[in-house]
Amino acid sequence: MSPFSRRSTLALVLALIYRPLGDYMAAFYQSSRDNRVERGFYRLVGVNPRSQQTWQSYLRSVLAFSLIGVLFVYVIQRAQAVLPYSLGFPAIPSGLSFNTAVSFVTNTNWQSYSPDVTMGYSVQMLGLAVQNFVSAAVGIAVAIALVRGFAQRRTGTIGNFWVDLTRGVLRLLLPVAILAALVLLAGGVIQNLTGFTDVTTITGATQSIPGGPVASQEAIKMFGTNGGGFFNANSAHPFENPTAWTSMFQIVLMLAIPFSLPRTFGTIVGDKRQGYAILGAMAAIFVVSLTALTLFELGGAGTAPLAAGGAMEGKEQRFGIIGSALFGTASTLTSTGAVNSMHDSFTALGGLMPMLNMMLGEVAPGGTGSGLYGMLILAVITVFIAGLLVGRTPEYLGKKIGPREIKIASLYILVTPTLVLAGTALSFAIPAVRADVEGTSIWNPGLHGLSEVLYAFTSAANNNGSAFAGLTANTPWFNTALGVAMLLGRFLPIVLVLALAGALSAQDTVPATRGTLPTHRMQFVGLLVGVTVIITALTYFPVLALGPLAEGLQ
């Protein structure tokens, strides 16, 4: 199958699953029935599944659950040496343990270490893989809470977090992950507990071949838009991603939930056209980004790219330029952060695209849940701007967008750029940190070195987890600074999203009039895409001009 045929197949598969998966999620999140396993869990934690929470109560549940997750993952890493299947690895240092615990609980999955030579199977399975499930479920739960805010009238409640979390794991993530793991096993992804096997090569040398429960972790890594690799090479490693078709399957897993959630949104609010409008905006940005990255990589200048038929440095031959560009675009326009090629080795303008994808807010289609609620925040800002242009009170889905709603949306937009730009600036502004960063962390000084640090904070604050591989981030400064960026980049937006959900849920709906902006037409889709791009350009263009843009013009 040609690379372009694979893209057509991807589009067809996503189109086929859009309706059934989206409707399925809408059905079980709205259902009043609980199965036996779910009822047992509710009794265990003392939760009444029929009770409804205000946004403050919902938020407290999210934060409490996430705090417990951070503490558990931190402790299990520090205790690794005494755990079974530790493979003889020592306890993980405290700074790295903090960074990793925060990373996986926030659905970032940033890794400042080589996983296959740092973590044993107990930490991988009990710590990291479990968080791959629950952190994804938290993101979807928050998105559903916001959708309920639009759908409900004068309730002031947005659902029950514990019910949403449990159903997301048991009815969606776990069943699909099991099936996906079996498919990956059939494709050659390994699944064992054998540790390292020493073999003799044809030259007579001895080489250690790693094993591990990879297929089970790879499935939820992709389906939950997590991204942390079992091996240091991530999805470029043949044990994680052996062939071109397994790579395409992983891309489908990445995009399945984020591209189907607009259908869920449209179904719950009672107007499926609204879901198609959000999907249209997501798809338009995705196609433009993918096209730009592919052209930049195919047009890579220089003797070596011309001899190789393209800019093949850092790419696997089995995927090629087009397969690598597709994977990189899907990975950074969602919050997955997995890589099947090294973004640090992309051309200068090619490397700009994954960075820009994250700076857009990862809304096209974004992570599990986070992409939908990010795009809905942008939709709120879009109708507000449109209302200013025509002199009418802005409304979205029958809810008035007043001062409170627009303040919350504006703060949401400001959180991530503040973390990215402040983190990057401090890395070069504090003399002691700058000496450490420029002396030991950055492999490629100059413009590309700035891009590496900028990419790291962009990835952390947007909870993506991918990296420009030329940066050594396992240092006290980066472990702490990136950990804080991940925490704030995850939970400050969640606070604002749930506050907006509560404000909307308390409102009554207003009837549409001749002056109401139709938010299901192409006109609105174009406005939404334009607002998304303009906000990003105004925020990040100066720092991009100092890094990848300047490098690309050299």
Side-chain angles (χ1 to χ4, degrees):
M1 184 183 295
S2 70
F4 293 102
S5 296
R6 288 198 294 268
R7 292 186 180 190
S8 300
T9 302
L10 173 64
L12 177 61
V13 171
L14 292 175
L16 290 174
I17 66 177
Y18 171 75
R19 180 171 180 172
L21 181 57
D23 286 348
Y24 172 65
M25 288 188 285
F28 74 72
Y29 277 115
Q30 292 181 290
S31 173
S32 60
R33 295 184 178 182
D34 305 302
N35 61 42
R36 182 178 301 177
V37 176
E38 292 167 352
R39 290 193 295 270
F41 174 76
Y42 301 145
R43 286 194 294 269
L44 179 66
V45 298
V47 170
N48 176 8
R50 302 283 76 80
S51 66
Q52 296 290 297
Q53 294 177 303
T54 64
W55 78 265
Q56 296 95 333
S57 178
Y58 202 102
L59 175 63
R60 286 193 294 270
S61 299
V62 171
L63 295 179
F65 179 76
S66 300
L67 175 61
I68 293 171
V70 170
L71 294 175
F72 177 77
V73 179
Y74 178 85
V75 168
I76 200 173
Q77 290 178 90
R78 299 292 290 148
Q80 174 171 255
V82 299
L83 295 175
Y85 292 103
S86 67
L87 305 183
F89 295 144
I92 297 167
S94 57
L96 183 57
S97 293
F98 163 76
N99 183 278
T100 304
V102 167
S103 173
F104 278 79
V105 170
T106 59
N107 199 241
T108 310
N109 302 73
W110 172 273
Q111 294 174 298
S112 298
Y113 56 91
S114 298
D116 47 319
V117 294
T118 304
M119 292 185 175
Y121 298 155
S122 294
V123 174
Q124 291 269 19
M125 292 187 292
L126 298 178
L128 308 189
V130 168
Q131 288 304 317
N132 283 350
F133 283 96
V134 296
S135 66
V138 167
I140 304 174
V142 172
I144 295 299
L146 178 58
V147 174
R148 292 193 187 108
F150 285 108
Q152 296 179 164
R153 302 172 56 182
R154 292 182 176 274
T155 65
T157 59
I158 56 175
N160 187 308
F161 168 72
W162 303 103
V163 173
D164 294 340
L165 173 73
T166 304
R167 291 180 177 179
V169 173
L170 296 182
R171 300 195 189 188
L172 176 65
L173 297 171
L174 186 59
V176 175
I178 291 173
L179 294 175
L182 294 175
V183 173
L184 291 172
L185 272 170
V189 179
I190 66 171
Q191 180 78 12
N192 58 60
L193 297 174
T194 59
F196 291 87
T197 302
D198 292 331
V199 298
T200 301
T201 67
I202 58 175
T203 62
T206 300
Q207 183 175 356
S208 291
I209 306 297
V214 179
S216 56
Q217 188 160 318
E218 193 74 12
I220 189 57
K221 155 190 164 180
M222 295 302 183
F223 191 57
T225 65
N226 294 284
F230 197 94
F231 300 105
N232 192 42
N234 207 281
S235 289
H237 198 291
F239 287 179
E240 283 195 38
N241 193 8
T243 63
W245 80 259
T246 59
S247 187
M248 286 298 300
F249 180 68
Q250 291 183 16
I251 293 170
V252 170
L253 290 177
M254 274 191 262
L255 300 176
I257 293 177
F259 265 134
S260 298
L261 274 173
R263 174 74 179 193
T264 305
F265 161 67
T267 301
I268 293 177
V269 300
D271 187 351
K272 295 183 176 63
R273 298 174 303 173
Q274 303 294 336
Y276 285 118
I278 295 296
L279 176 66
M282 290 177 170
I285 296 172
F286 186 94
V287 170
V288 171
S289 176
L290 174 59
T291 302
L293 177 55
T294 303
L295 292 177
F296 287 144
E297 291 304 293
L298 288 174
T303 303
L306 291 175
M312 285 298 295
E313 179 188 339
K315 300 179 179 67
E316 292 293 314
Q317 186 66 41
R318 66 186 185 276
F319 306 136
I321 289 177
I322 294 178
S324 299
L326 177 57
F327 196 102
T329 300
S331 174
T332 52
L333 277 174
T334 64
S335 66
T336 312
V339 295
N340 74 349
S341 58
M342 297 301 105
H343 296 176
D344 193 44
S345 295
F346 283 8
T347 61
L349 294 179
L352 164 70
M353 293 311 301
M355 200 182 307
L356 189 59
N357 290 342
M358 294 183 287
M359 290 174 175
L360 287 168
E362 294 178 334
V363 292
T368 49
S370 61
L372 177 62
Y373 64 65
M375 187 59 89
L376 290 178
I377 292 286
L378 288 166
V380 167
I381 293 176
T382 301
V383 297
F384 177 76
I385 294 174
L388 292 179
L389 292 175
V390 299
R392 295 183 181 274
T393 302
E395 303 165 8
Y396 187 49
L397 302 179
K399 299 297 179 79
K400 288 187 177 294
I401 307 302
R404 180 183 181 184
E405 289 77 19
I406 199 62
K407 287 176 183 177
I408 292 172
S410 299
L411 288 172
Y412 179 98
I413 294 300
L414 291 173
V415 167
T416 303
T418 301
L419 295 172
V420 172
L421 299 177
T424 303
L426 289 173
S427 297
F428 292 103
I430 301 174
V433 174
R434 177 175 180 176
D436 179 53
V437 170
E438 294 184 341
T440 60
S441 293
I442 296 177
W443 297 3
N444 304 292
L447 299 176
H448 197 74
L450 172 63
S451 296
E452 290 174 351
V453 176
L454 176 62
Y455 192 105
F457 280 98
T458 302
S459 178
N462 284 282
N463 301 132
N464 183 268
S466 63
F468 260 22
L471 182 71
T472 300
N474 189 12
T475 66
W477 165 253
F478 280 121
N479 278 333
T480 303
L482 294 175
V484 170
M486 287 184 276
L487 273 175
L488 298 180
R490 173 71 163 182
F491 294 111
L492 285 182
I494 284 178
V495 171
L496 296 168
V497 168
L498 293 178
L500 179 60
L504 294 171
S505 177
Q507 289 189 34
D508 199 353
T509 56
V510 295
T513 66
R514 294 182 63 181
T516 301
L517 173 68
T519 55
H520 61 277
R521 297 178 180 171
M522 289 299 297
Q523 176 194 37
F524 179 75
V525 173
L527 282 172
L528 180 53
V529 172
V531 167
T532 303
V533 173
I534 290 171
I535 288 175
T536 303
L538 292 175
T539 305
Y540 290 108
F541 181 78
V543 71
L544 291 174
L546 296 174
L549 285 174
E551 186 181 1
L553 295 174
Q554 282 186 336

